[in-house]
Amino acid sequence: MTAAYTLYAKPGFAATTIERLCSEARISNRAFYECFGGREELLQALHERCVEESLAVVAKALDEAPASIEGRAKAGIRAYIEFATADWRRARIMHVEVRRSGDVLAVSRQRAVDAFARLVQDASADFPQAVPVNPRLLALGVVGALQELLIEWLLSEEQPEIDELVAAAVHIFNRSLGDA
């Protein structure tokens, strides 16, 4: 998994063969297939591990956040962005390579989006008067915005600062609340 964590991030999932993974990990192809059914299954395992770890970090930040919707939004968004960007490989696997893998990991990716959307919904549930639209759709919009901001951070020639990403995501969330 360590070899895949690096190779799937760069040169990328599509460019990483089983042979290269096994060579980097210093294991035989047979040993690989005793653990995983293929490259996609390994990517799914890596993606799910990254998602579980990031959900735990965000949940902790939300639990410790100020008891306002703005405080919780800022704490949760900052925790997620800081966790994802602390290791560019994690951000790349979660936001670029899983998408590039095509339909193979679509279900895993959708489960992750749903889990983060539920987290956003739950964090805003104490403030129902503040949400003038369907809370599920709002949560999906926030998750999508975060994904796109992190893709920009990963792929742009001039990476935005983490504080800029947080400020933009918090602004998007706050503006989505409208006149509440």
Side-chain angles (χ1 to χ4, degrees):
M1 285 188 74
T2 302
Y5 192 67
T6 299
L7 292 173
Y8 282 178
K10 188 174 184 177
F13 174 74
T16 302
T17 63
I18 299 285
E19 290 74 20
R20 186 164 182 192
L21 277 168
C22 293
S23 174
E24 185 78 20
R26 296 187 176 119
I27 63 169
S28 68
N29 285 17
R30 181 179 177 185
F32 174 85
Y33 285 109
E34 287 175 0
C35 297
F36 299 100
R39 293 177 326 121
E40 297 83 3
E41 191 175 310
L42 176 55
L43 179 59
Q44 182 175 351
L46 284 172
H47 178 252
E48 288 174 359
R49 178 185 284 177
C50 291
V51 168
E52 287 172 19
E53 291 172 354
S54 57
L55 284 167
V57 166
V58 173
K60 182 177 187 244
L62 291 171
D63 286 344
E64 297 171 354
S68 68
I69 195 160
E70 293 83 9
R72 292 178 98 182
K74 187 172 185 175
I77 288 168
R78 177 169 290 284
Y80 182 74
I81 289 174
E82 287 178 350
F83 182 78
T85 59
D87 186 335
W88 67 272
R89 296 172 300 177
R90 176 174 35 231
R92 182 136 185 133
I93 287 167
M94 290 178 69
H95 297 290
V96 175
E97 296 306 320
V98 166
R99 287 178 178 206
R100 288 183 176 169
S101 68
D103 292 340
V104 174
L105 282 135
V107 172
S108 181
R109 184 177 171 279
Q110 192 56 45
R111 276 195 309 259
V113 168
D114 288 342
F116 282 107
R118 277 192 310 277
L119 199 60
V120 171
Q121 272 186 273
D122 292 347
S124 340
D126 295 337
F127 311 97
Q129 73 284 356
V131 183
V133 296
N134 179 318
R136 167 103 176 125
L137 297 179
L138 174 62
L140 288 169
V142 170
V143 170
L146 278 169
Q147 289 177 346
E148 292 303 318
L149 290 170
L150 286 165
I151 290 169
E152 175 67 15
W153 179 81
L154 283 163
L155 302 180
S156 66
E157 289 183 26
E158 293 182 35
Q159 284 185 326
E161 296 293 324
I162 301 307
D163 286 341
E164 290 179 290
L165 295 175
V166 172
V170 169
H171 179 78
I172 291 166
F173 181 79
N174 287 339
R175 295 297 294 187
S176 70
L177 298 177
D179 295 327

